Amino acid sequence: MTLSMNEVEATAKRAARGAGYSWGLAEEAGKATRWLCERDVDGCAALAVLLQAFDCAREADWSPLAEGSHWQAPGGNLCPLLAGAALSDHARDLQVGALVFGATLAPVLLLPFAASCAAQSQGIVSVGLPNARAVTDGDALAIDGVFPERAENMEIHMGGEIAAPAARRSRAAPGSDMLQILDRFARRTFAPATEQSRLSGAGAGLSDND
């Protein structure tokens, strides 16, 4: 089964929201997943891995805390969506020197945010892991090696060369098992609202929009 990129983005967005992310971060998840799929990277699988681990966890436990140029999460694993959003806001820091990220789950989801930094600086950004590296100028992406489900550490810095950019895709072909995981999370956003779900943030909340 293949999906259009619009379908990828919509499914990823709703799945992230169903897993407990705010709508703003869910939108970032949708855009990031689409960006990867357009560049022949299985963003759907990466997001499925992340959502199963995050599933309604406290964002504070997964958010980056900076100690100089080293970023890490108090709960042990950085969320690439939370860390990526922070990275985009600190793109200028890369002009000063490299940033080192501690243990990160689904690290390939950081690449669209690294691309955002490259676009802002009109340069090239490299993301290096022990056994893999990615380089982007904001549009093109080149990956050498395989990004794991979890990286113990990675370094993000300016510079690099895009020798063999990834092919562009107009449709994605996520694995059926990964797609089922995303669909399961996405279905949570369609559940009828109850008083408890309204109070916890799901559905329309306490406001009357009719």
Side-chain angles (χ1 to χ4, degrees):
M1 177 181 181
T2 65
L3 302 178
S4 71
M5 293 303 168
N6 285 339
E7 290 173 320
V8 166
E9 183 172 349
T11 299
K13 174 182 174 180
R14 287 203 168 273
R17 177 56 181 156
Y21 288 96
S22 67
W23 274 118
L25 278 170
E27 288 180 1
E28 294 293 342
K31 293 175 183 177
T33 304
R34 176 177 184 154
W35 192 91
L36 290 170
C37 289
E38 287 176 336
R39 288 154 182 81
D40 203 25
V41 178
D42 194 349
C44 293
L47 184 63
V49 168
L50 174 64
L51 299 188
Q52 289 183 99
F54 179 85
D55 198 5
C56 296
R58 291 196 327 138
E59 288 188 1
D61 292 336
W62 292 69
S63 298
L65 292 177
E67 296 181 2
S69 62
H70 190 275
W71 293 16
Q72 58 186 2
N77 286 318
L78 279 168
C79 164
L81 302 178
L82 293 163
L87 176 64
S88 295
D89 291 338
H90 291 79
R92 291 184 178 180
D93 292 353
L94 293 176
Q95 302 285 351
V96 178
L99 294 176
V100 178
F101 283 33
T104 305
L105 201 64
V108 77
L109 284 169
L110 267 171
L111 299 186
F113 299 97
S116 175
C117 292
Q120 290 181 55
S121 63
Q122 297 184 333
I124 293 178
V125 171
S126 293
V127 179
L129 282 70
N131 297 308
R133 176 173 296 275
V135 184
T136 178
D137 61 2
D139 182 38
L141 173 69
I143 295 180
D144 182 21
V146 177
F147 273 61
E149 291 188 357
R150 182 179 184 273
E152 288 297 333
N153 60 77
M154 70 181 97
E155 182 178 288
I156 303 176
H157 61 85
M158 297 297 300
E161 181 179 352
I162 302 175
R168 294 300 182 90
R169 304 296 181 192
S170 60
R171 297 188 67 83
S176 59
D177 53 342
M178 296 294 102
L179 190 56
Q180 286 174 4
I181 292 170
L182 296 185
D183 284 341
R184 186 178 76 243
F185 281 110
R187 282 196 296 272
R188 293 180 181 178
T189 67
F190 298 115
T194 63
E195 182 177 358
Q196 180 178 359
S197 68
R198 289 175 188 273
L199 291 173
S200 65
L206 294 174
S207 62
D208 186 354
N209 296 321
D210 294 335

